[in-house]
Structure formats: structure tokens, C-alpha cells
Amino acid sequence: LRKNYFIKNRNGVICWQSNNNSITENLFSRNTLNALTLTAGSSFNTISYNSINYNQGGVWIKPDSLRNSLYNSFLYITLDNNSGFSIQILNAPQGPVQFNNIGRNPLYQSFLNLSDSLVHAEYNFWGTISESAVDSIIFDAVDQPQQGEVLYKPVLDQIFATAPVPPPDRVIKQRIGTD
């Protein structure tokens, strides 16, 4: 699934029992629910170089009828300004969640590891390098002991330019004289 626009839908894309796919270079924006859902045994997918912006939820990985979605990789993605969550993981283990720009989502717990397994999320740009600020973005074993941990260190100290560039924030157009 490459170079598509999923804009103003209920859900952008739902992968149901969908394995070994490449979802790359897509734009997911302004979907009223989730941009990308992996469910019912959707495993070994590579999700890369996507822009996931202004949706209710970003990426949701969930089981269905005890079929787990496992070992998906999330690389070079920009998750920006999603109002609910950036990533919510209910199944693990997953592949790496690395080299992404995860910023300007709700500041409090927008990256959720609701599985009981470890998630590798090193080398991401979180919009900050403050350890306490990144901790507040992540919900994992630190917040609730039965959840899996999210390993997020080291963090990138600036936007990762290989991933899609996030949309500009707080742009203001104003009249100055006759211009």
C-alpha cells in the first residue's frame, strides 16, 4: 500500500488478518477514528515513511478473537497532532518502533503499551529531550506494573529528517499595511 491519501474517513486503513505487507509513503489525516488499525492476526508488516496527522487515533494494534497482531515494524513515521493517541499497542511483541517523529500529540500518555511485553522505541524524536516529559507521553510498566515497558532511550534531539516532515504549527497570516 504505497503513496495514497486516506483523508476524512471514519478509519484510514484497517488491516484484518493481513500479513507481510509494506505500508509506506501514505498520508493519513483527519480520520474521525484511527489512521491505521492492525487487528485479527495482522503480523510481520512494515509500516514506514507515513504521515499520520490530525486523526482521533494514530496506530492501533489490537487482538480479535484471540488472534494477535505481532512483529510489525514502525519506522520513519511522523505521528503529529492526533487528538487521542499516537500509538496504542495491545499485542506484543512488536518489531521496532524507531526513527519516528512523535510530537504535538496530547502531552499526557499518547504512546500506550497496553500489552505485557517490552516495546523497543529507541531513537525517536518525541518533541523534547526531557526525560520527565517523554515519560509523561508514554504509558507503560512505569505507570501500571502489569503493562509492558517501553524502552525509549536514547532519544533524538531534533526532528528526524528522513521521516516525513511534520506540518507547520501555529502559522499566522496577517496583513501588514497593504501587504
Side-chain angles (χ1 to χ4, degrees), residues 3-28:
K3 293 190 176 185
N4 296 285
Y5 294 110
F6 301 98
I7 300 172
K8 293 186 179 179
N9 299 295
R10 182 174 168 88
N11 288 288
V13 170
I14 298 174
C15 293
W16 179 276
Q17 298 179 0
S18 186
N19 297 320
N20 300 305
N21 295 293
S22 175
I23 300 171
T24 186
E25 299 178 59
N26 299 292
L27 172 65
F28 298 86

Side-chain angles (χ1 to χ4, degrees), residues 106-111 130-139 143:
L107 293 179
Y108 184 69
Q109 298 180 334
S110 70
F111 188 105
S130 163
E131 187 173 323
S132 62
V134 176
D135 281 338
S136 73
I137 294 168
I138 296 171
F139 179 84
D143 304 292

Side-chain angles (χ1 to χ4, degrees), residues 152-167:
Y152 68 87
K153 297 176 195 172
V155 299
L156 300 177
D157 61 357
Q158 59 186 353
I159 288 175
F160 193 65
T162 304
V165 175

Side-chain angles (χ1 to χ4, degrees), residues 61 71-75 87 89 91-100 102 111 113 115 117-124 126 138 140 148-154:
I61 307 163
Y71 302 108
N72 297 290
S73 298
F74 303 90
L75 305 165
I87 296 179
I89 300 170
N91 288 142
Q94 293 299 327
V97 181
Q98 297 176 332
F99 307 109
N100 302 298
I102 305 170
F111 188 105
N113 182 7
S115 78
S117 298
L118 175 69
V119 171
H120 284 276
E122 303 93 347
Y123 305 105
N124 290 304
W126 297 90
I138 296 171
D140 67 351
E149 185 179 0
V150 174
L151 292 181
Y152 68 87
K153 297 176 195 172

Side-chain angles (χ1 to χ4, degrees), residues 29-73:
S29 186
R30 297 187 186 346
N31 296 294
T32 57
L33 289 180
N34 302 315
L36 177 61
T37 301
L38 301 173
T39 189
S42 295
S43 299
F44 300 101
N45 296 293
T46 301
I47 293 85
S48 60
Y49 300 101
N50 295 291
S51 285
I52 301 175
N53 309 310
Y54 303 106
N55 303 284
Q56 169 61 34
V59 176
W60 190 25
I61 307 163
K62 70 182 203 89
D64 183 57
S65 302
L66 302 177
R67 292 173 291 194
N68 293 326
S69 299
L70 305 171
Y71 302 108
N72 297 290
S73 298

